[in-house]
Amino acid sequence: MPMLILMPAVWASETEVSWGFLGTGDAVGYLLVALMLAMLLFVRVHRRERSTAPPRIPRASPRSRDELGRLLFDIIQQGDVQAYRGLFLLGLEIQRALGRQADAYIHGRVPGMFETSLDKIAARVPSGSGFDGTVLVGRDALGLRLLAVDGSRSTVIVGTVTEVDGIYRMVHPGFVDRPAAASSTPRPARGER
């Protein structure tokens, strides 16, 4: 690379060097050297920016409800909000899973929603309990079956779940208000029913 930068400078030092369609003379050679140095600087800065970007955390892809439940239990134990957020629908998954309700779902996500949900779920998990499987409550609510130290069993609802392309994803977090679903029928006014 340094040789490529120096070649125009060497040719520019000769008298009346022809630069083809660019013309003749020293000024054109020095201009080319300056242009090449600017490009080298741009490439170095661009590489540095790319190398300092934080690495992407691989996103878990559970293939069963029990696998999702085990991941959720570990995340609850660790209090890892980023990993918890990664288990929810993102990008094209939202459109595939929810169709027309995708926009309402996206607008229903509010700042702090995942942190609040994780804190409330963690508060309901007994200390020292272990994961004992999952159960589907109702149509789509996922419950973690827990086994306490004393042998008693309990179930904690962690939110709603759906399957998208063979991967189980969380839809709505537990213990947080669900956004109102967009419906085609108008709601009755107060006093009417």
Side-chain angles (χ1 to χ4, degrees):
M1 186 72 164
M3 291 303 290
L4 291 175
I5 295 172
L6 294 178
M7 283 195 320
V10 171
W11 284 333
S13 65
E14 296 180 12
T15 57
E16 286 300 314
V17 175
S18 173
W19 295 98
F21 68 91
L22 296 174
T24 60
D26 295 344
V28 175
Y30 292 126
L31 180 64
L32 289 176
V33 169
L35 182 64
M36 291 175 94
L37 286 172
M39 287 178 56
L40 179 66
L41 180 63
F42 174 76
V43 169
R44 288 183 57 100
V45 168
H46 181 67
R47 280 188 191 158
R48 185 175 302 136
E49 286 176 1
R50 216 174 359 149
S51 66
T52 59
R56 291 189 78 185
I57 298 170
R59 194 168 170 223
S61 300
R63 299 279 180 184
S64 69
R65 282 195 312 263
D66 280 339
E67 189 178 345
L68 175 63
R70 183 166 301 285
L71 281 168
L72 275 166
F73 183 75
D74 291 342
I75 288 169
I76 291 166
Q77 296 295 317
Q78 298 167 2
D80 188 354
V81 177
Q82 293 299 340
Y84 180 63
R85 184 175 303 187
L87 293 177
F88 284 83
L89 294 171
L90 292 176
L92 289 177
E93 293 174 341
I94 296 171
Q95 187 66 38
R96 286 184 186 147
L98 303 177
R100 290 183 172 184
Q101 286 89 21
D103 287 337
Y105 176 77
I106 292 169
H107 293 298
R109 287 188 171 182
V110 294
M113 177 174 79
F114 295 110
E115 292 85 352
T116 302
S117 173
L118 187 59
D119 290 343
K120 288 181 179 181
I121 292 170
R124 295 177 193 266
V125 173
S127 178
S129 62
F131 178 74
D132 191 37
T134 60
V135 62
L136 201 57
V137 179
R139 201 179 90 224
D140 59 354
L142 182 68
L144 297 183
R145 288 187 312 206
L146 305 174
L147 182 62
V149 178
D150 63 0
S152 63
R153 296 179 189 274
S154 62
T155 301
V156 176
I157 305 296
V158 292
T160 58
V161 67
T162 190
E163 182 183 356
V164 180
D165 298 331
I167 297 173
Y168 283 85
R169 292 285 181 218
M170 298 295 296
V171 181
H172 297 287
F175 307 110
V176 174
D177 293 335
R178 290 174 66 162
S183 64
S184 58
T185 58
R187 299 176 100 183
R190 288 188 183 174
E192 294 180 15
R193 292 220 181 198

